[in-house]
Amino acid sequence: MEADAGTAATAGRVALVVEDDEDIRALIEFTLATQGFEVIAVGSGLEGVEAVRDHHPDLITLDLGLPGIDGIEACRRIREISDAYVVMITARDEEIDRLLGLETGADDFIAKPFSARELKARVNAMFRRPRTVGGVPAVEVTGEGPHEVLVHGPLRVDVESRRAFRDDQELVLTRTEFDLLTELMRAPARVWSREALLRSVWGTDWASDTHLVEVHVGNLRRKLSQGIDPGTRFIHTVRGVGYRMELPA
Ligand code: CA
């Protein structure tokens, strides 16, 4: 088995593969195992939801076309009990556009056929950031040391404990939304192109994936203004370029 530079972040973590095609399931299982994951594999959506409950995976690959409940419904049920990274795997490239228009709860999408290398790269990018889930919320605001806290107006992000707040209210974000917000808040004056965000958050720079950024920014925006005036904007669209943080009036 080849040595893999990205293994450190993924070693010892649990991955769940939900895929009914045996060949593809074996490919994904093997690929994730070489990254150090302890891999559990099942062949249907219902078994997938059950496995999430039993094994608390850190990463889930979810086939869209599954017997019984499909990948979208499975993801919806999984999201109620887990905040694991979810990679949705689709049979066709064109399907991704349709999926991006839905609120699937998935963090990333890959179309078949994909290579082991591509899957590895995506997974490594997801796990590149140190994560301490369930940490203690930060009260003190410091810009240095291991306890990094980012502040932007009423927004506060505690990077180590991976918690985000608006005033005193904790925001319920997916891992990808959290990573996106962190990246934007680390350089709030910067205008981020979609490609730059793809590189930093998803670890890819395929221009065809910029839809992914748009959808997650849209979801993040909605959550940032949840419960207050929905017109409150913390992320400004710079026409033809990308995004930057703004302070609502
Ligand atoms: Ca399938």
Side-chain angles (χ1 to χ4, degrees):
M1 230 172 266
E2 72 193 86
D4 192 313
T7 300
T10 52
R13 293 187 187 275
V14 177
L16 170 66
V17 179
V18 188
E19 170 64 67
D20 59 321
D21 182 306
E22 278 178 39
D23 289 340
I24 296 171
R25 191 165 66 221
L27 168 73
I28 301 173
E29 268 190 86
F30 178 77
T31 304
L32 296 178
T34 64
Q35 287 180 280
F37 282 99
E38 181 195 322
V39 186
I40 295 149
V42 298
S44 77
L46 285 176
E47 288 173 293
V49 177
E50 206 176 293
V52 170
R53 215 169 258 130
D54 293 344
H55 301 285
H56 309 288
D58 303 287
L59 168 74
I60 301 165
T61 74
L62 195 52
D63 185 32
L64 177 65
L66 289 165
I69 62 169
D70 68 5
I72 293 174
E73 176 60 17
C75 194
R76 198 187 59 74
R77 296 190 193 183
I78 285 168
R79 272 287 168 255
E80 289 172 3
I81 54 175
S82 168
D83 64 349
Y85 281 118
V86 175
V87 182
M88 189 90 81
I89 296 177
T90 77
R92 289 177 309 127
D93 218 13
E94 307 84 68
E95 194 88 85
I96 292 182
D97 271 351
R98 187 181 71 84
L99 288 169
L100 286 173
L102 304 172
E103 258 190 69
T104 58
D107 293 294
D108 204 348
F109 299 88
I110 298 181
K112 295 173 188 173
F114 56 88
S115 66
R117 192 161 155 250
E118 182 182 349
L119 178 64
K120 262 188 189 178
R122 294 290 184 100
V123 169
N124 278 338
M126 286 180 178
F127 284 91
R128 209 184 36 198
R129 291 157 196 282
R131 301 188 298 150
T132 316
V133 181
V136 181
V139 182
E140 84 273 49
V141 174
T142 101
E144 50 177 23
H147 205 144
E148 188 185 7
V149 176
L150 307 168
V151 177
H152 180 80
L155 301 179
R156 195 170 90 248
V157 165
D158 184 326
V159 179
E160 272 64 44
S161 70
R162 296 190 62 89
R163 299 177 76 177
F165 301 84
R166 191 194 62 224
D167 294 318
D168 291 329
Q169 198 189 343
E170 182 158 9
L171 302 164
V172 182
L173 305 179
T174 66
R175 293 194 188 287
T176 297
E177 287 159 2
F178 183 89
D179 290 343
L180 193 52
L181 181 61
T182 301
E183 215 56 38
L184 288 165
M185 281 180 60
R186 277 194 173 130
R190 170 174 173 183
V191 177
W192 288 85
S193 68
R194 291 166 181 80
E195 289 78 10
L197 285 170
L198 259 183
R199 267 194 303 277
S200 321
V201 178
W202 283 268
T204 90
D205 54 5
W206 299 321
S208 63
D209 288 341
T210 52
H211 273 319
L212 200 60
V213 179
E214 285 160 27
V215 170
H216 284 278
V217 166
N219 292 340
L220 176 59
R221 267 184 178 148
R222 210 182 39 258
K223 290 188 181 180
L224 293 180
S225 62
Q226 208 154 48
I228 57 174
D229 179 353
T232 309
R233 276 285 156 104
F234 294 98
I235 302 171
H236 176 71
T237 300
V238 181
R239 197 177 288 270
V241 186
Y243 306 99
R244 70 172 161 71
M245 295 300 289
E246 70 176 357
L247 283 174

